[in-house]
Structure formats: structure tokens, C-alpha cells
Amino acid sequence: MSRLAGLFSELKNQGRKALVPYIVAGDPTQEITLPLMHELVAKGADILEIGVPFSDPMAEGPVIQLAHERALANHTSLSKTLEIVSAFRKDNQTTPVVLMGYTNPVERMGYSEFAKRATAAGVDGLLTVDLPPEEASELSAILAEAGIDNIFLLAPTSTDERIAQTAALASGYLYCVSLKGVTGAGHLDVEAVKAQMDKIRAHTDLPVTVGFGIKDGASASAVAPHCEGVVVGSALVESIAASSTDAAKLAACELIADIRKAIDSI
Amino acid sequence: MTKQAMENRFPDFRNFPDNKGHFGIHGGRFVSETLIHALDELTEAYQRLSADPAFQAEFDNDLAHYVGRPSPLYHAERWSREVGGAQIYLKREDLNHTGAHKVNNTIGQALLAKYMGKKRIIAETGAGQHGVASATVAARLGMECQVFMGEEDIRRQALNVYRMKLLGAEVISVTSGSRTLKDAMNEAMRDWVTNVDNTFYIIGTAAGPHPYPMLVRDFQSIIGREARRQFAEQAGGQPDALVACVGGGSNAIGLFHPFLEDEGVAMYGVEAGGHGVETGQHAAPLSAGIPGVLHGNRTYLMQDSDGQIMHTHSVSAGLDYPGVGPEHSWLKDIGRVNYVSINDDEALAAFRKLTLVEGIMPALESSHAVAYAEKLAQTMRPDQSIIVNLSGRGDKDIHTVASIDGIGIE
């Protein structure tokens, strides 16, 4: 069983929800990413989503765009991101790590080469924001062969037909985008998420995490009852960015502890 | 080449793109899930409306009476004589309303928006020509219009920015990334994903996710259809070569597409060589790029070994883009079109030359095609002919040329 499948089955038995923080590799320095990953786990993260820096992060709001720009300013590449995951795996063999990014860096490295190096580094899943199922069959087959879960987005605009098509190709979990918009948008509508989750449930038993617009304990615990996990990106990236020293950046992970508390007490 | 040989050598161009928007390995739909539904809707609406006589009649009527089509095909006799080779004909897209070929596409897409009941238009722009053409059709149809433009381009193209404002559009400054066209396109995509229910995104070039490359090509193909008929009437037969500049490639695909099956017609797409392709400071992905994924399609891109999109350079803002429309990438792969480059200095010299010799001031973008046509004509006989797509007029570039000459114009 993959690390992701194992985790979700364990959480289900415990009646808990997955807490999934997102940070961008190399933001703002390559040195801080590894200690941040360990700190996030210590504060209660179940899965780490690590953003792979890209020059044109089309699906991101301003906060995460800036994170990509900071990471690129210090030349954090996909290769470097894999090195960081590899270093993380030396001390942590249990927490699943999912890379979230855009197609081009993966395509430039080569799908097979990526799968080989990601497996060696201990990556559990890949989510390419701009690779919908109709373009993903080649990469999905290679990832499946390598035992890396292929994670796809579902959106408020996804039709029943697409939900079925996506679920058929997906493994690990599905990432449900809570709203029409970019990351960090401020118009989360819990009722709409609930309706969307009902639609998704009709087509798949895969675990579903919800992201975009979840920024604190209140928004996380409003969404959590309807899904298997919550993703926290922009709010975390912003509070890390607002902290000037490395010690303060690690302290900013307290946000994850707060959200952990909130979703554990629903 | 015989017709049979042509058929054996190339696939049937009419079958491309396939139903997923692919041109060979290029094209497709590489966007986040939220936009898929909107692209499906657009594809469906376009298929329905392009077969609808009422829609076609309205489009044709607008092209005739609002844009001023057909645009002339002009035999540049004096320039041809001076060059001393092939006869050069100019397809005068510079004479269209708003001064460039861009309006053919914005008329078509705005009509789609109207028929689809969308009330709000967004567009990206580099030099401002597509922004102006979008603001123009929005004004005419009474639609709200917002144009995304890189902060750097807003500074370089103040005249067009003000022009858009006069037309009632809001120009939104994009401060992310390199603050130029590619970032404006990212920001327009972000707006579209947020306001997808009421908004129509008018993409300005033959790139982006399917169906955009196809529908922009179809709307721009009026250029080639007219040129083909006009050349037959004026000179008889077919031209020996076509030349057009390629940034995203909408004017080039518009000229080329109706001629693709004409085996005797050679085609040259001219990219921006900037300071020279060998310097790395250029905007010539077909000459020096490798295939990758950006802005919703797979195509040749200027990218580094980590897959990051590189900064581009061209004296012409309209060619300053790291990608290219996917059909051009495919036409390169199958060898139907030759892609070449012209650097900044050559384009500037051609701008001056055509202005002096023919009294026609080409846009700096089009000046790249003019410069290559001059080189090509010299290798040809006087009984041979070239059609150059003069895609836009150069008024917008007078400031740029003046400042290169060290002259400040208020």
C-alpha cells in the first residue's frame, strides 16, 4: 500500500481528517525548506505538499506567485526540490510528500527521468495543475509504474462526466478546488463545497482533500466535516513570508497547530 | 512537386487540429480543471456558430463595413525594382480599422461572446494592438472590457494605453514575473478562472488552450483567402512565396493557412532575432527553442534546462513572447513552413526602407517580414512573386524609432 493510501486508511479508522500544508520549495531560501517540513510535521501535518517553483504559475494568487518568484531568485529547480525531499526522507519515512507544480519542468526533465528520481527521493505523489486528465495519460502511466500517486484537481465547474473520467485516472486522493478562482482567494462557500463533495462521492471512493481559500481554524473546521482533508497554502506561505528570521518562520508554523486543534475537535 | 507527392508528403491540413486540439505533439489543453468546462462551452458554441449562416453573415458584414475589408494587395513595384529580384506584393492589413490584422480576430471572438451571452470581455496585450482592437469591439458592442498589460509594456506603449482608456476599457497593470506579455496572459487566465461565468477571454494570438488556436486561425484566414484571390486576379496564378512575421503567429497562420495545400507556394515565418539568435537575447522559439507547455498548449518555447520560461528580447513588443502558436510548431515539424529570424537592426532598416521607398510605414513586427522578403527576393527571378503580410502600421512605433535616433517626441 502506498504511503498516501496507508495514511488515509489510518485516519479513517481514527475518525480524523488529513491536514495538508503547502509551501514552495526554496521560499525564500533553499536552506529553510527542510527544517520547515519537519516543523510542519511536528505541528500536526499529515501530508506535505511542496510547490515546485515555476516562472509562470498561472493558477496561483499573488501570495504564492511571490513565493515562486522568491524561490526562482535563488534558482530552486525541480532537481533541487527532489534533493530537498530526499534529505527530508533521511529523518522521516512516514509522512507522505506530494509535489505540486506545473507541467513544463516535469516535461523538461522527462517523464521517465522524473519518475525515477522522484521515486528515489521518496516522493509519494504528483499534482500538475495544468495537466488535466485528457493530456495526462502518458505521465499517469509512467507514475503508476513507478508507484507514485497521480493527484488531480476537481473544480466547481467539473461535470459528472469529468469527475468520473478524472477519478478513473487518479490515485492517492483527489484535490477539490473549493471555488472558482486562484489560490488564496477569499470567497470560500462551504455550502457549495458540500454540494460539490456530494457530486464527487457519487463517482469515487478515493479520499478527497479540499483547498483554495482555507486560511485558519474556522474555515478549516467548516470544510473538514465534508471531506477527508484540508489544504492550507496561501495563509501559511504568507505568514512564513511575513516573518523575518528563520526562527520566526519556523514559529509561523504555529498556524498549522491551530488548524490541527480546530479540525480535531469537530 | 505533383499533387500526389504533396499528398504523400503532408497530412491533410484540413484535419488539424484533432478533436482534442492537437497539431501533432503540439497544441492541446493544458489548463487547470476550472477552465475545462468554459473551453468545452466555447468549443461547442464555435462549432455551432461557425456553421450558422446568420453568424457568418454578421461576421462578414462587420469585416466589410467596420474593418474595411477586403484589404488591398499592393504590388510594391518601386521597392521590387530596387531589390532587383522577385516581384513583392504587400497584403495591406495595416489599412484595417485600428491599424492591424488583430481586429479580424477580435470582431470574431466578440461576436462569439455576444452570441454566448457574455457581458464582460478580458484580453491580454503586449504592444497594445490587441488591447486596442479588443477595447474597440467592446465599445461597439457596449460590453465591459478589461485589458491586462505588463507594467513594463504600459511604460513603453503609453499611447495605446491612453487609446484603450478613451475607448472605455480599463487597463490593468501586471506587476508579476517579467511584467510583459507572457505575464499579462497569466493574469488574464487568473481573472478568467475567477469570473468564468460572465466573462469571455479574447486571446489575441493563435495560441492558448484548444479551441483558441483553431478559432483565431479561422478568423484570421480571411487574410490568406483574400490574398489568394487577389493575386490570381492581379498577377495570375499563385505566388511563389509567402512571408509573415511570427510572434504568437496569428497574422502568419491567417496568411498561410489557405495556401497550405498549394504545393508551389513556399512559406517563411519570420521570428524576432532580437540582438541575434546566437546571443540568446531574442524571441525566436521556433529557431532556438524546444517543445514544452505554457499558456495552455504544448509548443516550442524559450526555456532553460530546468524548464523555466526565459526572458525574451525584441525591439518589437508584439513579437516579444517566449512561445508560439502550436500550429506553427507543427508546420515546422512536418517541414511545410520555413521558420527564419531577423534581428532588431535588420527590422529597423526595413522599417526605414519601406517608408522611404513606398511611403508605407510598417509596424516593427511587420518590418521583420519586410526585411526577410528583401533577402528572399534577391535570390529569386523577376518573374517570380512574393506576398508579404504587412500585418500592421508603424505609427505606434514612431516613438521607439525616434528614441533609437536619439530624438525625444512629446
Side-chain angles (χ1 to χ4, degrees), chain B residues 96-295:
Chain B
N96 292 341
H97 180 42
T98 72
H101 73 289
K102 291 289 185 190
V103 74
N104 302 327
N105 169 50
T106 58
I107 292 267
Q109 289 198 46
L111 266 188
L112 283 176
K114 188 176 102 170
Y115 276 70
M116 291 172 75
K118 306 282 183 185
K119 304 284 185 221
R120 175 174 178 263
I121 279 172
I122 57 169
E124 83 294 340
T125 199
Q129 289 306 102
H130 174 60
V132 166
S134 298
T136 298
V137 294
R140 177 165 173 260
L141 294 172
M143 288 177 176
E144 183 189 343
C145 178
Q146 292 184 313
V147 179
F148 295 88
M149 190 167 184
E151 192 182 43
E152 180 64 20
D153 290 334
I154 286 180
R155 193 184 55 72
R156 289 195 286 193
Q157 303 286 337
L159 190 70
N160 270 342
V161 172
Y162 188 57
R163 208 169 153 200
M164 287 184 267
K165 287 180 182 164
L166 288 173
L167 287 161
E170 186 188 350
V171 179
I172 298 171
S173 174
V174 176
T175 56
S176 55
S178 61
R179 304 172 185 207
T180 59
L181 177 57
K182 83 174 173 70
D183 309 284
M185 198 153 175
N186 290 334
E187 207 54 35
M189 287 279 186
R190 291 175 186 128
D191 180 289
W192 196 33
V193 89
T194 306
N195 301 295
V196 66
D197 294 328
N198 71 344
T199 297
F200 191 103
Y201 177 18
I202 300 188
I203 293 183
T205 193
H210 178 66
Y212 281 102
M214 174 180 76
L215 67 90
V216 174
R217 173 197 74 195
D218 292 352
F219 290 139
Q220 292 293 2
S221 288
I222 184 73
I223 302 171
R225 286 199 305 274
E226 284 177 5
R228 203 164 179 280
R229 190 184 68 234
Q230 290 166 322
F231 188 87
E233 285 165 7
Q234 291 177 29
Q238 290 188 330
D240 297 280
L242 307 176
V243 180
C245 64
V246 177
S250 68
N251 89 80
I253 203 71
L255 176 65
F256 294 168
H257 198 262
F259 287 95
L260 286 174
E261 294 178 9
D262 297 323
E263 60 245 55
V265 182
M267 300 184 193
Y268 299 87
V270 187
E271 294 194 297
H275 295 314
V277 170
E278 70 288 351
T279 66
Q281 294 182 303
H282 58 85
L286 291 167
S287 306
I290 52 171
V293 172
L294 179 69
H295 292 151

Side-chain angles (χ1 to χ4, degrees), chain A residues 53-58 60 65 69 72 77 104 107-108 129-132 135 153 155 157-158 162 180-181, chain B residues 22 28-30 32-34 36-37 176-177 182 186 190 193-194 197 290 292-293 298 303-304 306-309:
Chain A
F54 184 49
S55 51
D56 294 81
M58 222 163 60
E60 314 298 346
Q65 285 172 43
E69 288 183 18
L72 287 175
S77 58
N104 201 54
E107 193 157 307
R108 186 73 175 94
V129 178
D130 56 350
L131 195 70
E135 301 288 354
L153 298 175
T157 52
S158 301
R162 282 196 66 79
K180 292 171 194 163
Chain B
H22 295 121
R29 230 182 226 183
F30 296 82
S32 68
E33 176 65 21
T34 310
I36 295 285
H37 182 65
S176 55
K182 83 174 173 70
N186 290 334
R190 291 175 186 128
V193 89
T194 306
D197 294 328
I290 52 171
V293 172
R298 183 181 284 118
Q303 55 173 313
D304 68 16
D306 293 331
Q308 308 298 347
I309 307 307

Side-chain angles (χ1 to χ4, degrees), chain B residues 8-41:
Chain B
N8 292 341
R9 190 171 155 206
F10 297 116
D12 187 339
F13 296 104
R14 288 164 299 194
N15 293 339
F16 290 82
D18 68 15
N19 63 359
K20 303 270 192 210
H22 295 121
F23 299 91
I25 66 161
H26 303 286
R29 230 182 226 183
F30 296 82
V31 293
S32 68
E33 176 65 21
T34 310
L35 290 177
I36 295 285
H37 182 65
L39 293 168
D40 280 342
E41 258 184 5

Side-chain angles (χ1 to χ4, degrees), chain A residues 92-121:
Chain A
N92 181 324
Q93 289 87 47
T94 53
T95 307
V97 174
V98 170
L99 299 188
M100 181 166 178
Y102 293 80
T103 307
N104 201 54
V106 178
E107 193 157 307
R108 186 73 175 94
M109 180 178 279
Y111 290 168
S112 297
E113 178 69 12
F114 168 78
K116 193 177 87 189
R117 290 169 65 175
T119 307

Side-chain angles (χ1 to χ4, degrees), chain B residues 351-365:
Chain B
F351 173 95
R352 294 175 201 279
K353 176 86 174 278
L354 194 69
T355 303
L356 279 173
V357 174
E358 292 285 353
I360 295 172
M361 188 179 291
L364 284 175
E365 291 78 11

Side-chain angles (χ1 to χ4, degrees), chain A residues 131-211:
Chain A
L131 195 70
E134 50 267 66
E135 301 288 354
S137 52
E138 185 188 346
L139 178 59
S140 276
I142 289 168
L143 293 178
E145 175 106 355
I148 296 172
D149 285 315
N150 200 177
I151 292 141
F152 286 93
L153 298 175
L154 288 172
T157 52
S158 301
T159 58
D160 283 300
E161 190 189 348
R162 282 196 66 79
I163 293 170
Q165 184 191 359
T166 306
L169 209 56
S171 63
Y173 59 95
L174 286 159
Y175 186 129
C176 171
V177 177
S178 66
L179 46 79
K180 292 171 194 163
V182 292
T183 51
H187 50 278
L188 181 67
D189 176 348
V190 176
E191 280 310 305
V193 171
K194 187 171 175 300
Q196 195 190 345
M197 289 300 304
D198 291 341
K199 233 166 82 173
I200 296 171
R201 298 290 187 213
H203 295 282
T204 180
D205 297 326
L206 278 173
V208 181
T209 67
V210 174

